Amino acid sequence: MATMRINLRKIQWLALIAALSCIGWADSWDQLKTTAGAITSVQADFVQEKHMPILTKPLVSKGVFYYQAPRAVRWEYQWPVQSIVAMYNGNVRRFVAAGGQGFTEESGGGLQAMQVVMEEITHWLAGRFDDNPMFQVRLEPGRCIVLVPKEEAFQKVIQRIVLNLGQQPGVIRSVVIYESENAFTQLTFSHTVLNARIEDDLFKKIP
Amino acid sequence: MRITSLILCLPLMLASCSHLPEIRPAENVAADRDAQCRAIFPTGRWQLVHSIEMLPPAGSKQTVMGVVQLSSEKRTFHCVLMTIEGLVLFEADFNGAVTIERALPPLDMPGMADGIARDISLIFLAPEEPCAEAGFLKDGGWVCRHPSADGGDEDIVVQPDGRWEIGCYDKNRRLTRSVAPLAKEDVHAGGWPSRVMLKAYGLGGYELRMSLIEADYLGK
């Protein structure tokens, strides 16, 4: 069961941040890897919409994402719940500020799995996007990447992930994570900035 | 070491258990007292979205998002628990019995779905049984006592200043759950408390601190 928990977390984070690893506009894996290799940092705003049949309207969250090569990541939700998962030098920490109170660190069982996943994210951001054995990955026309979990058990959790790349190299337009045909999470990215200097403190010093 | 500590603490834990409080019958009570007790629950069909801090008996707090779509008239609800990142961990329907649509580990453990449904019912649905006893508590609060299907009781206590608390007691009259707003003044635009805390007592007890994000009225 512990392995299953780790894998579920892993899939979730793979799904959420896979989009940001696809930082080079490309029509082939080779182009994608070449472009990704030149990226030193990424920062972008995102809007997350959760769609489910029972919801009268999508559940919306907003936040920002930062990546600094080679191994620093900060995935931050700012609204309606403030949550930060940050990795620096391979050390992953999670902080949540719920109920209008300050940030407190959450170090439950899921954190260990996140550490594994965040490491993998940095591999992807380096362009080794189709290396992950957990997914069948295909690059479709129109700068669209589709990831399908190989294992049936994982497909019951996440059916597939669709990444839509922007026209500008390095810009991701959106990622859609399908749990079923009518239940999915859509992340739409904007204001993407590539290769800007990001201070290390952003990944090390969480409020 | 932990087991030893637990054994040493057990007598203290049992001694600290709250029991069903005594009710002082009241005379010339206004007829709206029972309505006042029931007024703490949503009426009609609502969709409520909360962030939920789950504090287990051991280990770190975890924060998830919870969506409840309920009908007070039918006493039914559909609930979803998901991570902040949107991954659905648990989804179920309650219509007298629980129908699980999705449950990922560890929320797929036996009894977990029934426990979640029981907590949601306690927080959001008025007691099914009518008030069997009412009166004042020692502290001046007005209490409406409703028998539960399991032989226990559900107390709804409303203080003169408007503060309220729900207490759930087992057939041995021991407190098993309590629900109360975290701050009286902290009220959402929909009229519900912005922050509510559920406490489950006894071994394996836990806390849920719920912060209301959205409250949408869906009609009668």
Side-chain angles (χ1 to χ4, degrees):
Chain A
M1 183 173 286
T3 306
M4 182 64 177
R5 270 201 294 271
I6 288 170
N7 285 335
L8 294 175
R9 285 280 188 176
K10 192 172 180 180
I11 284 181
Q12 174 190 2
W13 280 92
L14 291 174
L16 286 171
I17 311 185
L20 290 161
S21 68
C22 186
I23 49 180
W25 179 92
D27 289 324
S28 73
W29 291 120
D30 286 343
Q31 285 179 310
L32 193 64
K33 288 175 183 174
T34 303
T35 311
I39 299 296
T40 58
S41 76
V42 179
Q43 48 185 297
D45 297 339
F46 68 86
V47 175
Q48 176 181 297
E49 290 185 2
K50 182 69 189 180
H51 296 257
M52 296 182 75
I54 77 142
L55 295 175
T56 54
K57 59 187 178 187
L59 203 55
V60 178
S61 304
K62 295 177 181 177
V64 289
F65 176 88
Y66 301 91
Y67 162 74
Q68 178 87 48
R71 292 179 74 199
V73 177
R74 176 172 169 134
W75 181 258
E76 177 175 351
Y77 287 81
Q78 297 175 325
W79 184 89
V81 177
Q82 292 178 282
S83 165
I84 300 169
V85 178
M87 180 173 79
Y88 188 77
N89 280 344
N91 181 32
V92 174
R93 303 175 76 188
R94 177 171 198 154
F95 299 82
V96 179
Q101 299 182 335
F103 280 94
T104 55
E105 190 163 6
E106 295 190 357
S107 55
L111 195 65
Q112 193 179 4
M114 268 191 266
Q115 180 128 6
V116 175
V117 173
M118 297 285 259
E119 290 281 2
E120 290 209 24
I121 290 163
T122 58
H123 296 162
W124 291 345
L125 289 164
R128 301 199 301 274
F129 193 74
D130 56 346
D131 281 0
N132 193 315
M134 292 173 66
F135 291 99
Q136 283 183 330
V137 187
R138 62 178 190 268
L139 184 58
E140 295 189 341
R143 298 183 298 278
C144 177
I145 296 173
V146 180
L147 301 93
V148 179
K150 288 179 181 173
E151 291 187 26
E152 197 176 330
F154 288 165
Q155 284 183 22
K156 288 179 181 173
V157 180
I158 291 178
Q159 200 177 70
R160 69 185 188 280
I161 301 162
V162 178
L163 314 177
N164 296 298
L165 305 184
Q167 286 190 341
Q168 180 190 349
V171 174
I172 182 79
R173 200 170 69 234
S174 68
V175 55
V176 189
I177 303 156
Y178 289 90
E179 290 169 275
S180 66
E181 278 308 311
N182 49 15
F184 59 91
T185 305
Q186 178 167 321
L187 291 139
T188 304
F189 298 95
S190 62
H191 305 111
T192 303
V193 177
L194 302 178
N195 299 329
R197 171 72 187 151
I198 302 175
E199 295 298 326
D200 285 356
D201 280 357
L202 191 73
F203 306 99
K204 290 193 296 186
K205 293 184 179 176
I206 310 299
Chain B
M1 178 62 187
R2 294 179 71 182
I3 291 176
T4 308
S5 303
L6 196 63
I7 291 169
L8 290 172
C9 290
L10 198 57
L12 286 174
M13 292 167 69
L14 292 174
S16 66
C17 286
S18 298
H19 285 73
L20 194 67
E22 189 181 337
I23 295 179
R24 291 186 293 136
E27 296 174 3
N28 302 323
V29 172
D32 67 348
R33 286 287 199 178
D34 186 45
Q36 195 182 355
C37 289
R38 289 184 168 270
I40 68 170
F41 299 100
T43 304
R45 292 172 52 240
W46 286 85
Q47 178 174 292
L48 306 169
V49 180
H50 290 84
S51 67
I52 305 171
E53 297 168 83
M54 303 191 300
L55 290 86
S60 170
K61 155 174 94 73
Q62 301 286 311
T63 303
V64 297
M65 304 285 279
V67 181
V68 171
Q69 207 173 80
L70 63 88
S71 164
S72 64
E73 187 183 347
K74 295 179 180 173
R75 292 186 54 79
T76 60
F77 58 80
H78 189 104
C79 65
V80 178
L81 291 176
M82 67 180 82
T83 65
I84 293 170
E85 295 80 20
L87 182 73
V88 174
L89 304 170
F90 181 86
E91 182 173 6
D93 253 321
F94 178 81
N95 187 4
V98 182
T99 305
I100 301 170
E101 296 193 3
R102 181 180 168 106
L104 303 186
L107 299 179
D108 60 346
M109 289 166 61
M112 185 66 81
D114 287 333
I116 292 170
R118 186 180 56 209
D119 286 350
I120 292 173
S121 297
L122 185 67
I123 296 168
F124 296 114
L125 297 180
E128 191 166 14
E129 298 293 329
C131 179
E133 197 178 356
F136 290 104
L137 298 178
K138 261 184 187 173
D139 64 1
W142 175 260
V143 60
C144 302
R145 181 160 294 164
H146 301 255
S148 307
D150 62 1
D153 293 282
E154 183 177 330
D155 275 5
I156 302 166
V157 179
V158 181
Q159 297 292 344
D161 65 358
R163 284 180 298 122
W164 57 263
E165 184 171 18
I166 302 168
C168 190
Y169 298 84
D170 64 15
K171 61 184 177 186
N172 297 315
R173 308 189 134 210
R174 278 198 291 265
L175 183 64
T176 58
R177 300 274 191 288
S178 67
V179 179
L182 282 169
K184 173 179 173 279
E185 299 78 15
D186 199 3
V187 177
H188 188 270
W192 317 118
S194 290
R195 300 200 72 209
V196 170
M197 179 164 67
L198 178 145
K199 278 188 178 179
Y201 299 94
L203 293 174
Y206 56 89
E207 280 185 25
L208 303 178
R209 295 178 192 162
M210 303 173 63
S211 301
L212 187 58
I213 293 170
E214 288 178 10
D216 290 327
Y217 181 60
L218 306 178
K220 288 186 177 179

